[in-house]
Amino acid sequence: MPDKERKMNRVFNFAAGPSTLPVDVLKQAQNELLDYNGTGMSVMEMSHRSADFDNIIKDAEKLIRELLEIPDNYSIMFLQGGASTQFSMVPLNLFAKNKKAHYILTGAWSKKAAEEASKYGKVNVIASSEEKNYTYIPRVEDFPKDADYVHITMNNTIYGTSYKYVPDTGDIPLVADMSSNIMSEKIDVSKYGLIYAGAQKNLAPSGLTLVIARKDLIGNHMDITPVMLEYKIHADKGSLYNTPPCWTIYILKLVLEWAKKLGGIEVIEANNRKKADLLYNCLDSSDFYRGTVVKEDRSLMNVPFILQNNDLNTKFLEKAKTEGLVSLKGHRSVGGMRASIYNAMPYEGVEKLVDFMKNFEKENK
Ligand SMILES: *Cc1c(COP(=O)(O)O)cnc(C)c1O
């Protein structure tokens, strides 16, 4: 079919991850697919040692440093294995002195991270919101000094909570899983020892994990650490120790260029707050829907909500789909719905969702 006749059928995709990407990025990737920068090949087919790819990976790093204002004493790594591999990589590399870490449990992901770390050393669960089905973020003020790091999951993708404060861990490095909130709001990187994020929520397609680590924390890995799980080798080799996920890094670069063109993190954060306010106001002004977490700890990125009448769930999802609003089914541990409204979700998408919700309420009350 000729291009002109092909109908674009883009939906508003509220999936938690992999998730929606900016249309401009997809179009540029499409334009450059067969012939990247006059090379006569796509980035998928290109040597990771080529000059063109070298420019891509260096640009990606430069843009991340610029957008997140990352200080020079931090290394950036582009790794594979998802955020889940960081659950092992963090303890293997950071259990240097005490072989002990404090974990705050705020959901399924932090629990998995803690379980994995307990294979390599002692895990002290210093706080947990499990008793209330992770509907809030515990506030911890005091951290015993006998730990190599403190681990938090900053945004809880499944439960829809998010830290609104940075725990003050003193001299103990703070490690944060930011898979679902990286680049969504301004953060002070210098408050963290290490940040990691799977790319498939806010950065790029799946297959890439971003790690930002303070340089003094690199190189102290345990003897048993497999070479592919050493931060040092990846940091020393500029993430080119072995073949990196080249295509995903290329898309990441396009997403970062898109973010910069929008005006950077401040503009993105303001957009995200506008989108989240619109949706949360809709939930708060209705007794047909109900948000599932305490208001103070609500996530800007993942908005779980339930219908007071659970029998309407299927109807809600089916009707939404016919209007081009998809992937709204909640995670089984919360039930109901979840709208993930990452950076690439336009305001119009949330507007359309809220209009749909109001109409659905009127018709089914
Ligand atoms: C999605 C997610 C993970 C798991 O990421 P994978 O890349 O699939 O391993 C871990 N932590 C958080 C907060 C997530 O949202």
Side-chain angles (χ1 to χ4, degrees), residues 74-143:
Y74 284 74
S75 288
I76 289 178
M77 288 163 264
F78 299 119
L79 307 178
Q80 301 192 61
S84 300
T85 297
Q86 293 310 306
F87 299 167
S88 343
M89 211 160 162
V90 165
L92 281 166
N93 284 270
L94 268 51
F95 273 157
K97 248 195 286 174
N98 303 288
K99 297 227 176 338
K100 180 174 170 185
H102 303 306
Y103 275 71
I104 303 181
L105 300 193
T106 51
W109 295 119
S110 45
K111 200 170 181 183
K112 279 189 176 157
E115 274 165 16
E116 198 57 30
S118 69
K119 293 178 183 168
Y120 307 109
K122 189 161 165 33
V123 164
N124 174 41
V125 174
I126 198 158
S128 167
S129 52
E130 188 173 15
E131 89 286 355
K132 290 203 170 146
N133 202 30
Y134 301 119
T135 49
Y136 72 100
I137 299 286
R139 194 156 189 117
V140 189
E141 315 271 358
D142 195 25
F143 296 91

Side-chain angles (χ1 to χ4, degrees), residues 77 143 165 177 315:
M77 288 163 264
F143 296 91
Y165 75 104
D177 178 353
K315 190 175 172 191

Side-chain angles (χ1 to χ4, degrees), residues 16-17 81-87 109-110 153-158 177-181 196-201 206-209 302 342:
S84 300
T85 297
Q86 293 310 306
F87 299 167
W109 295 119
S110 45
T153 310
M154 193 171 170
N155 185 78
N156 295 277
T157 325
I158 295 174
D177 178 353
M178 295 196 193
S179 293
S180 48
N181 69 310
Y196 64 89
Q200 68 273 22
K201 275 90 186 214
S206 62
L208 171 69
T209 313
N302 311 96
Y342 296 119

Side-chain angles (χ1 to χ4, degrees), residues 40 48 59 80 102 114 131 135 191-192 199 225 232 236 254 256 305 307 354 359:
H48 60 295
D59 282 353
Q80 301 192 61
H102 303 306
E131 89 286 355
T135 49
K191 294 218 161 97
Y192 300 85
T225 308
K232 185 168 170 34
D236 285 353
L254 299 185
L256 297 168
F305 61 92
L307 279 62
V354 165
N359 285 332

Side-chain angles (χ1 to χ4, degrees), residues 3 8 10 21-38 41-44 56 59 63 247 249-262:
D3 253 7
M8 261 258 266
R10 294 281 299 172
L21 285 162
V23 175
D24 288 349
V25 166
L26 296 175
K27 279 188 179 158
Q28 188 172 344
Q30 184 181 42
N31 278 335
E32 296 178 332
L33 185 62
L34 298 185
D35 180 9
Y36 177 79
N37 194 28
M41 62 176 93
S42 75
V43 178
M44 280 184 252
I56 291 172
D59 282 353
L63 283 160
W247 170 259
I249 291 169
Y250 157 68
I251 302 289
L252 167 68
K253 189 196 83 135
L254 299 185
V255 170
L256 297 168
E257 285 169 349
W258 167 84
K260 186 176 170 178
K261 220 168 110 190
L262 273 181

